[in-house]
Amino acid sequence: MSVPAHKPLVYIISAPSGSGKSTLVNELLKSVSDLEFSISYTTRAPRGSETDGRQYYFVTRTEFEKMIRDGEFLEHAEVFGNYYGTARRFLHDAENNGRDLLLDIDVQGAAQIKQKLPEATSIFILPPNRKTLEERLRKRSEDCEEVIQRRLITAAHEIENYDRYSFILINDHLEESIEILQAIVRSERLLRAGRPLSADESKFVEMADCCRLANVRERVKPILDSFRTSDAPGRD
Ligand code: 5GP
């Protein structure tokens, strides 16, 4: 008799750049077992200490377009003028290895995954307000002023899609955000298992529930307002 294949839980994380997503994702991967990170393909050049096969697979546009034609992507999108895509094989690998899969992708990619895998758990990370996002983008000194302004405008558009996600995490205090993110992953696994929960397990579920879309709308409103009233570059 064949052993039934593990159906991986798929977690999608999206956030405007500068929201602290990479730090949160790295901490999550360190602290939660059996969670595989899907390394995306991209046509953008490596930044700083990024290496091929770790943060991304860096490929040319020609190579990427061939992969599209060969149907190798579960989803792909153009972000800031470059292609980014999630290879199908990561889902198969997670399935074969009995692990769950974490995708760090933009809102376009998230929408494509939700169409193909409606059960995927989607998490949107929000900065506490526009001013904090602008400060974080400046502090990491990765981009010139023009790029920072472009990222802020893109962020304002991306944030408007927050209500397509199952969970909203407002990344104000890093330690707390890491705990919440861990709780969301654990809670989804516990709910999938469908067995009675211990008191400790129930706490994870409650913590995650606080970030469910229906429970955060009031907290999200002032954040959206801070972006909507600050269209002009450089305003607080
Ligand atoms: P960065 O170039 O700053 O690493 O990423 C830019 C944006 O591309 C981020 O919002 C990131 O989540 C998104 N991204 C990274 N990999 C993928 C992918 O495979 N597919 C899609 N759709 N977006 C991705």
Side-chain angles (χ1 to χ4, degrees):
M1 212 172 75
S2 67
V3 179
H6 163 76
K7 191 163 181 258
L9 285 172
V10 174
Y11 299 92
I12 304 168
I13 300 195
S14 301
S17 61
S19 309
K21 180 180 54 176
S22 305
T23 309
L24 289 172
V25 165
N26 288 336
E27 292 300 321
L28 180 68
L29 290 166
K30 272 194 250 163
S31 58
V32 172
S33 62
D34 294 330
L35 187 60
E36 208 151 289
F37 180 67
S38 160
I39 303 170
S40 296
Y41 283 77
T42 183
T43 57
R44 85 148 161 77
R47 282 191 207 122
S49 60
E50 285 180 339
T51 44
D52 188 46
R54 279 200 69 188
Q55 292 80 7
Y56 285 104
Y57 292 106
F58 297 98
V59 295
T60 63
R61 281 187 92 83
T62 311
E63 286 166 331
F64 198 100
E65 283 163 359
K66 180 170 184 319
M67 289 181 73
I68 299 176
R69 284 197 302 277
D70 292 347
E72 288 191 42
F73 290 118
L74 200 53
E75 66 75 33
H76 68 275
E78 194 150 352
V79 187
F80 298 122
N82 287 300
Y83 281 132
Y84 291 81
T86 306
R88 281 181 200 283
R89 72 180 156 83
F90 275 93
L91 190 58
H92 298 146
D93 289 351
E95 203 169 302
N96 292 334
N97 299 337
R99 291 159 67 94
D100 295 328
L101 190 63
L102 180 67
L103 310 181
D104 166 352
I105 58 178
D106 84 322
V107 292
Q108 309 169 71
Q112 293 175 43
I113 297 285
K114 278 297 242 183
Q115 270 206 333
K116 289 182 181 153
L117 307 169
E119 287 169 12
T121 300
S122 54
I123 305 160
F124 195 85
I125 297 169
L126 276 176
N129 52 56
R130 184 190 189 277
K131 187 165 181 276
T132 307
L133 183 67
E134 187 165 355
E135 282 166 5
R136 287 181 187 165
L137 285 169
R138 289 236 155 76
K139 216 159 138 196
R140 71 181 193 183
S141 14
E142 224 168 51
D143 304 311
C144 65
E145 188 56 30
E146 190 195 331
V147 174
I148 290 176
Q149 293 307 329
R150 192 149 52 94
R151 288 195 191 281
L152 285 167
I153 292 168
T154 306
H157 292 300
E158 286 174 336
I159 281 171
E160 294 292 335
N161 293 294
Y162 80 96
D163 60 356
R164 297 189 191 171
Y165 288 73
S166 337
F167 293 93
I168 312 298
L169 173 53
I170 301 168
N171 185 17
D172 202 351
H173 304 289
L174 183 65
E175 293 305 319
E176 190 186 271
S177 298
I178 294 166
E179 277 183 28
I180 295 171
L181 201 49
Q182 291 166 344
I184 293 173
V185 170
R186 294 196 170 120
S187 162
E188 292 291 276
R189 287 177 171 176
L190 289 165
L191 296 176
R192 149 87 79 92
R195 58 167 172 75
L197 303 178
S198 69
D200 277 349
E201 289 171 341
S202 296
K203 278 193 205 135
F204 288 132
V205 176
E206 278 165 30
M207 200 186 225
D209 277 349
C210 291
C211 296
R212 278 190 194 275
L213 181 61
N215 299 330
V216 292
R217 286 194 189 269
E218 284 308 305
R219 274 181 287 152
V220 167
K221 205 173 162 298
I223 300 174
L224 293 183
D225 287 345
S226 77
F227 280 87
R228 286 175 184 153
T229 54
S230 305
D231 287 344
R235 275 190 56 181
D236 285 345

